[in-house]
Amino acid sequence: MSARRLRELHAQPPLVLPNAWDAGSARAIAAAGARAIATTSAGVAWAHGVDDAGGLDLATAVATVRAVCAAVDVPVTADVEAGYGDVARTVREVVEAGAAGVNLEDSTARVLDDPLVHAERIRAARAVDADLVINARTDTYLYGDRTGTIERAKIYADAGADVLFVPGVVELPAIAELVKESPLPLNVMVGPGAPSVRELAEVGVVRISVGPAITSAAYALATAAATELLTHGTYESLQA
């Protein structure tokens, strides 16, 4: 699906993006009615038996994006972490694989990068495709002291980003303040305990994703069901 279609969906908020980690999960999410799908680098890494934030390589990431895009008929935005070194090459390969957007984060190995370094990544991504939807992720709430978020947003907007992604912020007043201050539409990551989609939409959040939460829940079920089977010989965990 085209980047233009993904861009149109951002103009019809809220855009809710369940995150997939392989072709099978993408099909399940599409069948549930998702208008678009995001991949999760953490989920993809775990599915390949490696750690998040450094364990995934470009070839595996691109292959997963290609499989997900081939499996569904909705736009897919690809989580490419901090760009795997050569951002232009990475973005070019995921676009060729079918991605309509990318998620680029401003931390490496769980350490915040200089915002100007990340701005160069965004410029490199934009140079590859003028229509590509670039979701600029800032990890100020995950690996920083939460300050500097809006300053980074302004730098990333000037570099060509379309959306500001701030994972780790779940307090509704703080989210509302980010919506008010950000020069870019806001994407937040949700999970148990976070405000509802309706509440987030009411304060102006444009894009809502769940990161690796669905993947974590799926693996938690696998662990619980296997443990029950092996220790008790029963199957209650598998009841729908």
Side-chain angles (χ1 to χ4, degrees), residues 106 112-123 148 151-153 155-156 159:
D106 65 359
L112 274 173
D113 296 320
D114 186 295
L116 298 180
V117 170
H118 195 56
E120 287 305 312
R121 294 180 185 134
I122 294 168
R123 289 190 182 94
E151 288 75 9
R152 285 174 179 260
I155 293 170
Y156 302 162

Side-chain angles (χ1 to χ4, degrees), residues 93-186:
E93 291 194 16
V94 295
V95 168
E96 290 173 353
V102 293
N103 183 85
L104 272 171
E105 61 195 52
D106 65 359
S107 64
T108 306
R110 299 187 174 90
V111 176
L112 274 173
D113 296 320
D114 186 295
L116 298 180
V117 170
H118 195 56
E120 287 305 312
R121 294 180 185 134
I122 294 168
R123 289 190 182 94
R126 175 58 67 216
V128 171
D129 190 321
D131 290 325
L132 185 72
V133 178
I134 300 176
N135 192 36
R137 168 175 154 172
T138 182
D139 286 338
T140 52
Y141 275 72
L142 294 181
Y143 310 130
D145 61 5
R146 302 188 176 193
T147 62
T149 303
I150 297 304
E151 288 75 9
R152 285 174 179 260
K154 293 174 181 176
I155 293 170
Y156 302 162
D158 288 342
D162 297 293
V163 183
L164 177 70
F165 180 25
V166 188
V169 55
V170 294
E171 302 87 359
L172 198 59
I175 292 171
E177 187 65 21
L178 286 173
V179 169
K180 179 181 177 182
E181 298 294 332
S182 174
L184 295 169
L186 187 66

